[in-house]
Every structure is written in C-alpha cells, then in structure tokens.
Amino acid sequence: MMNRKINIIKTTSLLLVLVLFTFTSCDKWLDVRPSNQFDEEEQFESEQGYMDVLIGTYQAMTDEAIYGAELSFRFLDVLAQLYTNKSTSTDFYGLSARYDYSKVQASQHTPKVVIENIWKKQYNAIAQLNYLLKRMDSKPKELSEDTYHLIKGEALALRAFLHFDLLRLFAPAFNEANKDQKGIPYVTDFTVSPNNALSIGDLVKKIEDDLFEAIDLQSDFQNIDQIASNQGSSSLELFYAFRQNRMNYWASKALLARVFLYTGDLENAKKYAVEVINSGEFEFLPLANRNFDQRDERSNITFTQEHIFSLYHSGLRDIADNYFKTSSVNPEGSDLYNTKTVLDGIFEVTRVGMDTDIRSTVSSPSRWEEHNNNVIYSKKYYSDNSSNVNLRMIPLIRLPEMYYIAAEASIDPSEALSYLNQVRQARGISSMLTIDQVQDRTSLKEELFKEYRKEYYAEGHLWYFFKRHEYTAIPNSVFFGAMDDAVYVFPIPDEELEFNPDFN
C-alpha cells in the first residue's frame, strides 16, 4: 500500500477489515455503515461477506475528502473558478483559487491538506478493492458463477476509476512527449510495501486492462435498472438490482471512452461513447416531467435517468447544507455560491434561445437558491424529502458526457454538431448550433467548454477539461500567473515522498 500509516485496513496476524453491513431495506443497502471487525476467513465465509467489502468501497468513496465533496462539487470546482467566494487570498477558497498548494497553516484547512487527503483516501479505497480481489483469484467456492463475475468485474472497474482520477490529478496531461514520464503507482496487491510509480503510458495501459477485463466479466449483466424503480427483499436480490449506482458494464465502457479521449485516441473514444449512447439504458430527463422542488418526493435535480455511475449518500443533504445554504442570507465561510452576473454569463441567458435552458437560474429558478443578486446557491445536492432516493445521489458519470466525447472525437463537423445539439435540445434550448458557428477544432472546443461549464456546474468535471486542453487562462479567475504544470499537477504528498524511495 502507498502509505505505511494507513489505518482503514491493517495487516496483522489476523487480517481485519471494517465491513459489516445490513441489507434490510433500500436505504440500508445503499448507505453502508461499518460495524464490528472480523478476521479474514469469517469475512469471506459467504457471498454476503464479499458483497460487503465491495459495497464498503463505494461507501468509502462518499467521504467528503474525495467524491463526497472535494472531487465533486468543492475543491475541483474552486480550482476551475466556478464560485465567487475567493476574494480573500488567505482562506481556503482564496488559496485554492490561486493554486497555492504548499502553504502550511496551523489548525487551518489548506489545499495542501486536501490534496494529501485525496491521495490517502483514494489509495485506501484501492486497498480495500485489492483485499477483495486477492480472495477472488482462486474463484471462491462461496460464490456462484454470476456473483463471482459481477463482484470481480465491478472491483476491477472501480480500481481503474480510482487510479484514473489520481493520474489526472497528480500527473501532467497526457501527450506523446510525456507518456514516458513518471506518474503514480498503480497498486494491484494488498500490501503495506511502497509501490513504484509507473510511467503515464504504462498507467493508462493498466487502467485499460482492468476495464477490458471488467467489461468481459460483466457482459451478462448489461441491463441497468433505474434507481427509482429498483425493488427487492433479500440482500442478493438487492445486490443484483442496484446497478446504476455502481461500476456497471456501461459505466466501464463510459470510463473507457473518457480514458481514450484523455490519451487522444479519438476513434476508440467515440466508439465506446456511442456504444453507451446507443445502449438504451439511459435517457435524458424528459422536459415535460422535470421537477426541481427539493421538498417533493418526485424531484430529480441531478437527472438520475442520466446517471451511468453514481454514489448513494444518505447524509448528502447535511453535507449540501454545509456548502449550499437555503436558509441564510449572509454566506458563511465554507459556503459555495455565485452571483447572478456570473451565472447569467455561464448559461448565456442573453444569447438567442438560451433563456429556456432548464439548467439556468432564468428557466429553472427552483434548481437554485437565490438570496440576492450576489448570493446564489446550487440546489443540486439538496433534499428536504426523506423518501426521495434521487436526491441522495452524487453523479460521477452521466449521459451528456458521452455526447460531448462523441462530439469532440468526431472528424466531421456536422456530426460533432449533431451530438452537441442533442444535449442542447434535451436541455430545452431552442437555438441550435450551426456549421457557421463550429467550423474547426478551435470553435468546437469553445462550444464544448461552454457546455461542460453549464452541464457540470458543481460536479467537478470542468477542471479536467481545462487541464486536458492546457488552458492558459480560465474565465472569472483571480489567478494571473502561468497556468502550467505547477498549477495543473498536484504535488505528491510529503508522507509518500518520505516513505516511498521511488519518489526520491
């Protein structure tokens, strides 16, 4: 494992793992809660034990240090300059928006601490997957053939997902010139020993290999139930039913599309994106049925029909309340808000046909909490209805991205426009892009940037777009230095540098 001080899983004379879960209801299955400790043999004496370890990894990913906040709506979107509260240069948001990753301040949350926790928590989750995969090597007799394929396939795909985000954050953007440059370790063993960092090119190959094997293993499980319609009484029934918020077959293909776009392999990026689009498993939110009232059981602010992979978090409302206030006019220090001027610019409300965009404050004020022109919060993660499962989902891969990837990977400008316009139409925009507006790769990139910024506000994707395209300036920024690797590449944590000789 990467860090000698990791304490989520410890190797001793008895291998302990903090996973014991109950599957007595939808919420309890989705909201995994650790309980007692068991030795390894007891943990894996039944199918339930294997499922518990896998689901425990998903639960670990909802930690605020990673996808529960920092890698979804908080840190990465502050880096992408998507929020307004960054005028003070010495607080967390001010330091983050100015890309000061080195500052150490006593008893204060800093970007340095956040980056170190991202590294630690991601590798902790990877360790738990490797703990599970170690037991899967011998094709355990406790598992049926189907359950074996499903668990191992998900674990491999999830390991690829976690490593890929680490690669995108802690290594330079991929290109032919730097693919042999050292990146990060790709950890496949359950061990406390440090792992050597691989080249960026070798890391991509490892990620692809895990995903291809995962797709092969999950090939008999291509049907994905929408989360709202899932039913089941036993833990096994629930395990097979709740696939949309796990690294399912289509999520593995969607991640492959994302990886191939990252490496510049446009042919394969488009191939896998189109396969997901044509799967019939996911659809755009119907305009006629939209409901963005967080108090309503039918409300669906994150468009769950479009989720290819998402995380369930029963406490998401409390976390959202810490950052996106609905009851206070005066913002608190941790709040993430914006101004009407900035948001109107993001959603281009003065552009012909754009005032009907259901993502905007103009067309859908119920998706936003507007206290005044200077304080407007997203309500993407806010729920006031205890029965609404839709409002407790953190989306990690959604359908529009597949259209954006297909558009960017299309050689024919008309075809690229078709993919972009399908998303625009689904969002209620009445004005479609024309070939006169998108004549080359530069203009296509500009329209893609605008779409990513609208679609993925408070979801953490725009930073990766800026980095992949090596933007030298970011809109609404308070940073006026060079946007180079010192900004785009997170520093390897001090503790890793201390204990891993490969970084010395």
Side-chain angles (χ1 to χ4, degrees):
M1 188 48 211
M2 300 307 305
N3 189 317
R4 296 178 188 270
K5 299 180 180 179
I6 286 173
N7 56 17
I8 283 187
I9 302 177
K10 298 179 179 179
T11 303
T12 60
S13 57
L14 285 178
L15 189 58
L16 303 179
V17 62
L18 299 174
V19 280
L20 177 65
F21 313 104
T22 57
F23 288 68
T24 55
S25 70
C26 169
D27 277 10
K28 288 184 179 178
W29 179 83
L30 289 165
D31 180 30
V32 181
R33 292 185 175 88
S35 183
N36 297 324
Q37 293 183 337
F38 290 83
D39 65 57
E40 185 174 2
E41 293 308 316
E42 185 175 354
Q43 176 65 47
F44 293 113
E45 65 184 5
S46 67
E47 284 191 334
Q48 184 70 64
Y50 289 86
M51 290 187 289
D52 289 347
V53 177
L54 176 63
I55 301 306
T57 307
Y58 291 109
Q59 176 63 14
M61 290 172 64
T62 67
D63 192 300
E64 284 191 55
I66 43 178
Y67 300 99
E70 306 296 5
L71 295 183
S72 52
F73 57 77
R74 194 172 185 233
F75 186 52
L76 292 192
D77 274 357
V78 173
L79 299 182
Q81 309 291 335
L82 278 179
Y83 304 115
T84 295
N85 48 331
K86 55 196 176 187
S87 59
T88 303
S89 61
T90 56
D91 66 8
F92 171 68
Y93 292 139
L95 292 170
S96 300
R98 290 164 178 81
Y99 312 118
D100 189 343
Y101 303 145
S102 61
K103 192 174 294 296
V104 177
Q105 294 175 294
S107 68
Q108 183 173 334
H109 203 51
T110 65
K112 180 179 175 66
V113 172
V114 168
I115 289 169
E116 289 173 345
N117 283 333
I118 289 170
W119 179 276
K120 179 174 68 175
K121 295 290 185 177
Q122 291 285 90
Y123 277 115
N124 280 356
I126 290 166
Q128 186 149 323
L129 292 169
N130 288 334
Y131 171 64
L132 174 63
L133 287 165
K134 177 174 70 76
R135 292 289 302 208
M136 305 294 286
D137 287 343
S138 59
K139 208 166 187 180
K141 65 181 185 304
E142 295 85 5
L143 300 180
S144 69
E145 188 80 8
D146 284 349
T147 305
Y148 170 80
H149 284 177
L150 198 58
I151 292 176
K152 185 173 182 180
E154 282 189 34
L156 287 169
L158 199 55
R159 184 169 74 182
F161 181 93
L162 293 164
H163 277 107
F164 184 54
D165 278 357
L166 283 166
L167 173 62
R168 292 197 290 174
L169 295 171
F170 288 90
F174 182 95
N175 58 51
E176 286 300 313
N178 69 15
K179 66 181 182 180
D180 294 326
Q181 183 175 328
K182 182 181 294 186
I184 61 168
Y186 199 92
V187 184
T188 59
D189 296 323
F190 183 70
T191 175
V192 295
S193 300
N195 286 256
N196 290 339
L198 302 182
S199 71
I200 296 172
D202 286 343
L203 285 160
V204 170
K205 180 66 165 56
K206 290 278 190 182
I207 291 166
E208 292 172 357
D209 287 347
D210 271 355
L211 287 173
F212 282 125
E213 185 176 356
I215 288 168
D216 183 60
L217 286 164
Q218 296 190 84
S219 60
D220 290 336
F221 303 94
Q222 297 184 26
N223 294 331
I224 307 299
D225 293 336
Q226 292 291 327
I227 191 70
S229 63
N230 283 330
Q231 301 293 330
S233 55
S234 72
S235 61
L236 190 58
E237 288 173 340
L238 291 170
F239 184 76
Y240 277 89
F242 285 93
R243 305 293 319 293
Q244 192 186 9
N245 64 316
R246 306 219 304 273
M247 274 302 292
N248 56 71
Y249 175 85
W250 295 108
S252 299
K253 290 204 167 190
L255 181 56
L256 262 181
R258 187 184 280 180
V259 171
F260 282 125
L261 187 69
Y262 167 83
T263 63
D265 185 344
L266 300 185
E267 181 180 355
N268 276 314
K270 181 181 174 184
K271 172 182 182 291
Y272 287 101
V274 171
E275 284 185 15
V276 177
I277 290 170
N278 293 337
S279 70
E281 297 294 332
F282 314 98
E283 62 178 3
F284 286 112
L285 180 79
L287 290 172
N289 297 335
R290 68 183 187 271
N291 182 335
F292 303 146
D293 183 350
Q294 77 272 13
R295 300 163 297 180
D296 196 314
E297 186 175 357
R298 298 162 298 176
S299 180
N300 197 339
I301 301 176
T302 65
F303 309 162
T304 56
Q305 295 98 321
E306 305 172 9
H307 291 194
I308 300 170
F309 171 38
S310 54
L311 297 173
Y312 177 89
H313 194 326
S314 65
L316 188 57
R317 184 233 190 265
D318 293 332
I319 293 174
D321 194 39
N322 288 333
Y323 302 109
F324 306 102
K325 298 293 189 298
T326 60
S327 59
S328 173
V329 174
N330 296 317
E332 298 175 356
S334 62
D335 288 359
L336 297 167
Y337 58 90
N338 224 318
T339 68
K340 182 171 178 56
T341 299
V342 170
L343 290 173
D344 284 353
I346 288 174
F347 292 101
E348 303 179 281
V349 298
T350 61
R351 193 169 165 181
V352 175
M354 299 297 293
D355 57 348
T356 55
D357 188 336
I358 65 170
R359 299 166 294 191
S360 72
T361 61
V362 173
S363 179
S364 299
S366 57
R367 289 192 85 216
W368 303 85
E369 187 68 26
E370 186 171 346
H371 293 304
N372 55 58
N373 286 343
N374 294 317
V375 180
I376 303 177
Y377 297 99
S378 170
K379 288 162 67 174
K380 219 170 225 188
Y381 303 102
Y382 206 89
S383 171
D384 270 347
N385 189 294
S386 60
S387 301
N388 191 337
V389 175
N390 291 322
L391 295 186
R392 295 196 287 277
M393 310 299 294
I394 303 171
L396 298 184
I397 307 177
R398 287 198 293 112
L399 183 61
E401 184 184 358
M402 298 300 103
Y403 285 84
Y404 297 153
I405 290 174
E408 187 171 345
S410 293
I411 304 301
D412 181 1
S414 297
E415 186 178 43
L417 276 179
S418 174
Y419 286 117
L420 274 182
N421 282 333
Q422 286 181 72
V423 181
R424 291 166 67 87
Q425 185 176 28
R427 296 301 180 241
I429 296 173
S430 59
S431 175
M432 297 295 105
L433 294 169
T434 67
I435 196 67
D436 292 335
Q437 295 168 292
V438 183
Q439 296 181 341
D440 53 28
R441 303 298 295 180
T442 301
S443 54
L444 174 62
K445 184 180 77 170
E446 178 63 16
E447 293 301 331
L448 280 165
F449 150 66
K450 294 175 183 177
E451 284 299 310
Y452 270 92
R453 188 168 59 160
K454 296 184 190 83
E455 186 65 41
Y456 292 107
Y457 185 93
E459 291 187 38
H461 290 293
L462 189 58
W463 178 247
Y464 295 120
F465 183 88
F466 286 145
K467 180 174 180 176
R468 183 164 57 83
H469 287 286
E470 299 179 312
Y471 271 60
T472 58
I474 293 179
N476 303 312
S477 181
V478 293
F479 178 75
F480 304 104
M483 294 290 293
D484 53 19
D485 280 352
V487 169
Y488 282 126
V489 180
F490 288 177
I492 303 298
D494 292 342
E495 200 168 55
E496 184 67 23
L497 296 176
E498 178 183 357
F499 288 108
N500 191 337
D502 197 42
F503 284 108
N504 297 321

